Amino acid sequence: MTDWREVESRVFMTTGRRMPVVIARGEGTRVWDDAGKQYLDFFGGPAVHALGHCHPVMVKAIEEQARTLIHVSNAVYSIPQLQLAEVLLGNSVFDRIYFTNSGAEANEAAIKLAHKWGRERKNGATDIISMVDSFHGRTLAAVTATGTPRYSEPFAPLPGGFVHIPFNDIEALQNATTPQTAAILIEPIQGEGGVNVPNPAYFKAVRKWCDENNILLIADEVQTGMCRTGPLFAYQGMDFEPDVMTLAKGLGSGVPIGAILAKESCAVFTPGDHGSTYGGNPFVCAVALAVTNYMIENNLPDRVEKVGGYVMKTMEGWSSKYPVVTGARGKGLLNAVSFNADIAEKVVLDCLANGLIVNNVRPNAVRLAPPLTVSNEEIDEGLRILEAAIGRAS
């Protein structure tokens, strides 16, 4: 049998650490490695496989669109692209959309949009406020917006015009605002930052501050969008409306697609301002359309809220059983259990050995992002494996 880990060590650029497992196939919530061992996938790409692996509705859309039309230039009209646009706009507060290949590209487009809007509508303002422990992508502007220095410092000098403040702190936002502030770029819940959930009043206060100071509110819903936290989009369950929103991950449930959505008042792009060779081609849009329609028609928001509530209640109970557990946080099926010591990697590897894939999102926190279609039985199985691993690491 080919040693694929050895092949990777010879041919692949080292940009991160992989788990010691080679995944060969997947179905639903489960994947199998190249030796045939089965795992529950509660990592999900991360948070990509909204409908799980190889969902029938996706396979059907892939097969049908692959036989019809895979790619055309954005210089012509494309039916799946416009069908998907209508569904996403029709179920949100936005008026305009543009498709990209990834979340990082969607956030790059949002940064460009904010710059042009500020130049045209706010006396040339171009500064963008983002949050400490945020994550917005790996391109140069997106990684600069990301409030995690270890991701950006190796690539200095970095673009200017970004200000980082603590998340969930309205006073810090007020103090950081200047006449040059064009936009706030913020995740409704910080996923890569450790699944950090703000207090319920925070986003209402952010929205009010933006309105009072003529600032664009850009919601990065790359990880929280597409029912991950319950509602189709997280902002819908958090009592605020963004001016701009970015999507990716769960939108394609494994097929690479992203999007930027904007209200008419700030959709200032004109011909020549932006573009993408592959963004929103017929193939990816047909699959994303099937995914989105499935979510809406099968009321995934209701299911995710119910299952997510069960997950949170279960994990919160661990703090009384294991002194190392300090609590649980999250919404819907984006969850984390936190510890008072840096044992997350040990817990993750223990879970892997026992057939569960989770993610040490922080040294002292493990993240869960299972498919939104996960069964109750699979949830219980995964939580049993995770709890046992925590017990052994305590």
Side-chain angles (χ1 to χ4, degrees), residues 286-358:
V287 180
L289 178 63
V291 169
T292 305
N293 283 338
Y294 182 92
M295 290 177 172
I296 296 168
E297 293 165 4
N298 290 273
N299 195 16
L300 278 195
D302 183 62
R303 162 130 182 96
V304 169
E305 288 188 4
K306 289 178 180 177
V307 177
Y310 175 79
V311 170
M312 287 297 294
K313 183 178 179 179
T314 301
M315 294 199 306
E316 286 167 354
W318 293 345
S319 59
S320 63
K321 299 169 65 176
Y322 307 101
V324 74
V325 176
T326 57
R329 52 186 183 258
K331 287 177 72 72
L333 287 172
L334 180 61
N335 318 101
V337 57
S338 58
F339 312 113
N340 60 16
D342 291 347
I343 63 167
E345 183 174 10
K346 183 178 180 181
V347 170
V348 165
L349 292 176
D350 190 316
C351 286
L352 188 68
N354 288 281
L356 174 68
I357 302 175
V358 288

Side-chain angles (χ1 to χ4, degrees), residues 181-203:
T181 303
I184 297 165
L185 175 59
I186 188 168
E187 301 157 281
I189 296 171
Q190 291 186 325
E192 294 295 319
V195 190
N196 303 317
V197 183
N199 71 69
Y202 177 63
F203 271 103

Side-chain angles (χ1 to χ4, degrees), residues 98-175:
Y98 189 84
F99 292 108
T100 66
N101 302 296
S102 67
E105 289 184 35
N107 285 330
E108 285 279 342
I111 292 166
K112 287 178 65 177
L113 187 75
H115 274 222
K116 187 175 185 188
W117 178 88
R119 289 181 180 279
E120 294 183 353
R121 308 284 175 87
K122 198 181 177 183
N123 301 316
T126 57
D127 285 358
I128 295 174
I129 297 174
S130 58
M131 307 297 134
V132 173
D133 289 330
S134 63
F135 186 85
H136 301 293
R138 299 285 193 167
T139 55
L140 197 58
V143 82
T144 305
T146 291
T148 307
R150 64 188 173 89
Y151 292 149
S152 59
E153 286 176 347
F155 307 105
L158 301 169
F162 292 95
V163 179
H164 300 107
I165 63 171
F167 184 56
N168 197 26
D169 186 338
I170 190 65
E171 185 176 349
L173 172 59
Q174 294 167 345
N175 291 336

Side-chain angles (χ1 to χ4, degrees), residues 65-128:
Q65 193 60 43
R67 294 190 191 101
T68 305
L69 182 66
I70 292 177
H71 177 76
V72 291
S73 166
N74 280 315
V76 301
Y77 296 96
S78 168
I79 294 170
Q81 183 185 90
L82 298 175
Q83 290 173 323
L84 178 59
E86 286 190 320
V87 170
L88 292 173
L89 296 177
N91 286 277
S92 70
V93 298
F94 304 103
D95 305 297
R96 300 285 177 174
I97 193 168
Y98 189 84
F99 292 108
T100 66
N101 302 296
S102 67
E105 289 184 35
N107 285 330
E108 285 279 342
I111 292 166
K112 287 178 65 177
L113 187 75
H115 274 222
K116 187 175 185 188
W117 178 88
R119 289 181 180 279
E120 294 183 353
R121 308 284 175 87
K122 198 181 177 183
N123 301 316
T126 57
D127 285 358
I128 295 174

